[in-house]
Amino acid sequence: MSSDLVTLAKTWVAQARRVVVLTGAGISTDSGIPDFRGPQGVWTKNPAAEAQATLQHYLADPAVRRAAWRARLESAAWTAQPNRGHRALVELEQRGKLHALITQNIDELHRIAGNSAQRIIEVHGTMRRAMCWGCGLRTPMQEVLQRVRDGEADPACPSCGGILKSDTISFGQALVPEVIERAMTVAREADLLLAVGSTLQVFPAAGIVPQARAAGARIVIVNDQPTAMDDLADAVLRGPIGEWLPAICAA
Ligand SMILES: [Zn+2]
């Protein structure tokens, strides 16, 4: 049954000319980066971590920021390497089929795997950059983390003294309108939308699937758990992303 669906999805990819891929945390768990709400998720195991991810708390409370900087130092993402799922999407681009790669992930593993930066749309930003809430200055995260290692518990902006945060979308923080608009535009241009490793519960990911479908795209969902958009899909592949995505994307 499942192998029949994989074969079908592989055929659709072969026929498609503009595949848009949407990825969520599930594609990076094989790289050792935990997801948020799964059984082993960051927030499932440590609800306090969710407060660190809330903008209002982060900006108001130095203790939240100090805890957030310690957590950033220890992130599994700094040593994580792309896995077979990421590499399958590089192959899709090399075949000339990848129109755009929209990701909810902040780990930049798609870029590190070898997808071109201009095809990647990071709707939740990137953890590899810091941003100042005072002046908007953006700096490499590793430069700021070195200051934390050197003893600054809550390093301030080197330019204006403002609060630094990872350049990601926290809870309570507005999405970047131009980025979301670009994601919706490419979704309308897709002839096949491949949603991978996302539960498709939160905006903007949740809106991309119906947008692509309304514009006539086939919808294929690959995830190890049910998603909120399974009813809209032409095929739902519930199983290991690291095995099935390479099978679907291979020439
Ligand atoms: Zn600043």
Side-chain angles (χ1 to χ4, degrees):
M1 178 72 79
S2 297
S3 62
D4 287 350
L5 277 181
V6 169
T7 304
L8 182 62
K10 182 180 163 72
T11 304
W12 287 344
V13 168
Q15 294 168 348
R17 299 174 62 186
R18 292 181 310 281
V19 181
V20 170
V21 181
L22 167 66
T23 65
I27 198 173
S28 288
T29 51
D30 282 349
S31 294
I33 301 175
D35 60 13
F36 297 102
R37 298 186 193 281
Q40 297 299 314
V42 176
W43 295 332
T44 309
K45 298 209 291 190
N46 178 17
E50 197 164 353
Q52 289 169 21
T54 301
L55 180 64
Q56 181 190 0
H57 291 129
Y58 186 90
L59 295 179
D61 187 349
V64 168
R65 293 199 294 277
R66 290 192 293 268
W69 285 111
R70 289 194 298 274
R72 286 181 190 124
L73 274 183
E74 293 161 8
S75 170
W78 303 125
T79 52
Q81 295 297 318
N83 63 57
R84 295 181 65 202
H86 296 104
R87 287 194 291 275
L89 299 180
V90 176
E91 180 168 4
L92 194 64
E93 181 173 343
Q94 288 166 346
R95 292 175 71 194
K97 290 185 176 292
L98 183 70
H99 183 52
L101 174 45
I102 306 167
T103 186
Q104 299 174 277
N105 299 337
I106 58 173
D107 53 38
E108 292 197 35
L109 288 183
H110 290 304
R111 181 187 57 75
I112 293 167
N115 280 116
S116 350
Q118 69 265 26
R119 299 225 176 254
I120 300 171
I121 303 173
E122 295 170 319
V123 292
H124 290 163
T126 171
M127 62 181 291
R128 294 177 192 271
R129 205 166 53 220
M131 192 201 90
C132 171
W133 273 77
C135 70
L137 179 78
R138 285 172 166 85
T139 51
M141 177 58 83
Q142 286 300 340
E143 289 179 9
V144 187
L145 289 181
Q146 189 55 48
R147 292 170 58 193
V148 180
R149 283 187 207 99
D150 291 344
E152 290 183 67
D154 179 19
C157 173
S159 177
C160 78
I163 292 173
L164 294 178
K165 188 177 89 63
S166 70
D167 195 3
T168 55
I169 305 294
S170 300
F171 283 111
Q173 180 173 348
L175 296 156
V176 181
E178 306 81 58
V179 175
I180 303 309
E181 183 49 45
R182 192 177 156 218
M184 291 301 169
T185 298
V186 298
R188 287 191 292 271
E189 293 165 349
D191 54 9
L192 175 68
L193 180 80
L194 193 52
V196 182
S198 171
T199 52
L200 303 172
Q201 286 172 307
V202 292
F203 191 84
I208 287 166
V209 176
Q211 187 87 240
R213 185 182 166 89
R218 276 189 174 128
I219 310 289
V220 174
I221 293 176
V222 186
N223 200 36
D224 61 1
Q225 299 168 59
T227 83
M229 297 289 163
D230 285 357
D231 289 349
L232 289 184
D234 295 281
V236 178
L237 284 74
R238 193 163 302 154
I241 294 168
E243 288 178 34
W244 287 5
L245 201 52
I248 292 168
C249 295

